[in-house]
Amino acid sequence: MTTLGCALLPTFAPQQYLPIARAADAAGLAEICLWEDCFKETGIAAAGAILASTSALRVQLGVLPAPLRNVALTAMELATLDGMFPGRLEPGIGHGVQSWMEQVGARVASPLTLLREYATALRALLAGERLTVSGRYVSLNDVALDWPPTTAPAVISAGTGPKTLRLVGEVADGIALDGGNGMAKLRTAIDTVRTAYDDAGRTDAFKIVISVPTATGRDAAERVRAWLPSWDLPSDEPEEYCVWGDSAEEIADGLRRFAALGADTVNVQPLESEPDPESLVRFLGQEVRPLLA
């Protein structure tokens, strides 16, 4: 069964996060996904506040840019949150948007090498291993967490280009695909990741997470068509990228199309024009989720 969640974009102000998360938790949504875009809200700070303010909601961190953080510090932060809220945090990492990494002086010559070293070390540290490694970007000397998670959380990674997707299939516990991907691109991305996973001889669990831009209400179609150009997406085939409608049945039908690509989790991504995100997550949890189940 595909899990229904909500992707909370950093275009929403920090003061909106907790009311939205509490509404999602009360409505029975399983997951909320945070985005960490430069130079907006941080994922770790928001995750901690949301976890402390809700009772059952899982938080996906989608995603922490590896160039900005030493891997040991990331492992410490994630393990601390997992210790406080066991099983409710799902970390995500990526090699970062290169223009943003350039702005802060953190751009590396080989983002893929960094992501490979970082993901491998992070997963090992969260599994309680003691590491001594000397890589191009990750260097650890006899490092282990004093308080590792009782059960190591899955480490998801973002990816868009084919090289990154193949790497994610090799070294991560899942793939996060954002709302700028259309159906055809999502299908190709998932096939690429799965092929790399198989070629690596893996048999462990692997999670596929898709975020889907979604609008509800009588003006939903107009809002979708106005949103597409802002992401440099074609407006003549909105159904390739978005779901919209005025009823729970319409939204559920649209989300099923994306779930059928093989998604374990479909995160509804509210548009920046969403007038009432709290009502939206209540609608998703109370009316759409039962239809998907």
Side-chain angles (χ1 to χ4, degrees), residues 22-37:
R22 288 172 182 142
D25 191 40
L29 279 185
E31 301 179 1
I32 195 162
C33 177
L34 305 178
W35 285 29
E36 184 172 88
D37 282 356

Side-chain angles (χ1 to χ4, degrees), residues 27-57:
L29 279 185
E31 301 179 1
I32 195 162
C33 177
L34 305 178
W35 285 29
E36 184 172 88
D37 282 356
C38 295
F39 300 94
K40 301 179 176 71
E41 297 94 348
T42 70
I44 294 291
I50 289 172
L51 288 167
S53 300
T54 56
S55 60
L57 196 66

Side-chain angles (χ1 to χ4, degrees), residues 5 69 79 89 114 148 167 204 249 261 279 285:
R69 292 181 177 83
L89 180 69
L114 168 62
L167 177 60
D204 53 332
E249 289 78 9
L261 296 174
S279 292

Side-chain angles (χ1 to χ4, degrees), residues 79-212:
T80 299
L81 287 174
D82 186 85
M84 294 177 177
F85 310 99
R88 292 180 55 203
L89 180 69
E90 186 174 81
I93 59 172
H95 55 48
V97 175
Q98 297 310 295
S99 59
W100 290 339
M101 300 303 99
E102 180 77 29
Q103 281 182 270
V104 298
R107 184 168 183 167
V108 298
S110 178
L112 292 182
T113 300
L114 168 62
L115 186 58
R116 178 184 293 277
E117 294 179 358
Y118 201 98
T120 302
L122 181 59
R123 291 174 75 203
L125 289 170
L126 292 175
E129 297 182 26
R130 182 172 296 276
L131 295 186
T132 295
V133 297
S134 181
R136 183 173 178 183
Y137 300 110
V138 173
S139 180
L140 300 170
N141 182 16
D142 194 31
V143 175
L145 296 174
D146 282 10
W147 300 99
T150 302
T151 301
V155 177
I156 307 298
S157 181
T160 53
K163 291 182 180 179
T164 305
L165 292 168
R166 284 194 291 269
L167 177 60
V168 171
E170 291 179 41
V171 303
D173 295 311
I175 179 70
L177 298 164
D178 69 33
N181 294 284
M183 296 282 287
K185 190 175 180 180
L186 286 168
R187 189 176 293 108
T188 299
I190 292 170
D191 288 345
T192 300
V193 170
R194 283 179 169 159
T195 298
Y197 172 92
D198 291 338
D199 289 346
R202 297 181 60 180
T203 58
D204 53 332
F206 192 88
K207 185 174 183 177
I208 296 174
V209 181
I210 296 176
S211 292
V212 182

Side-chain angles (χ1 to χ4, degrees), residues 4-18:
L4 179 63
C6 178
L8 190 54
L9 299 183
T11 48
F12 293 109
Q15 56 266 34
Q16 294 179 277
Y17 272 34
L18 293 186

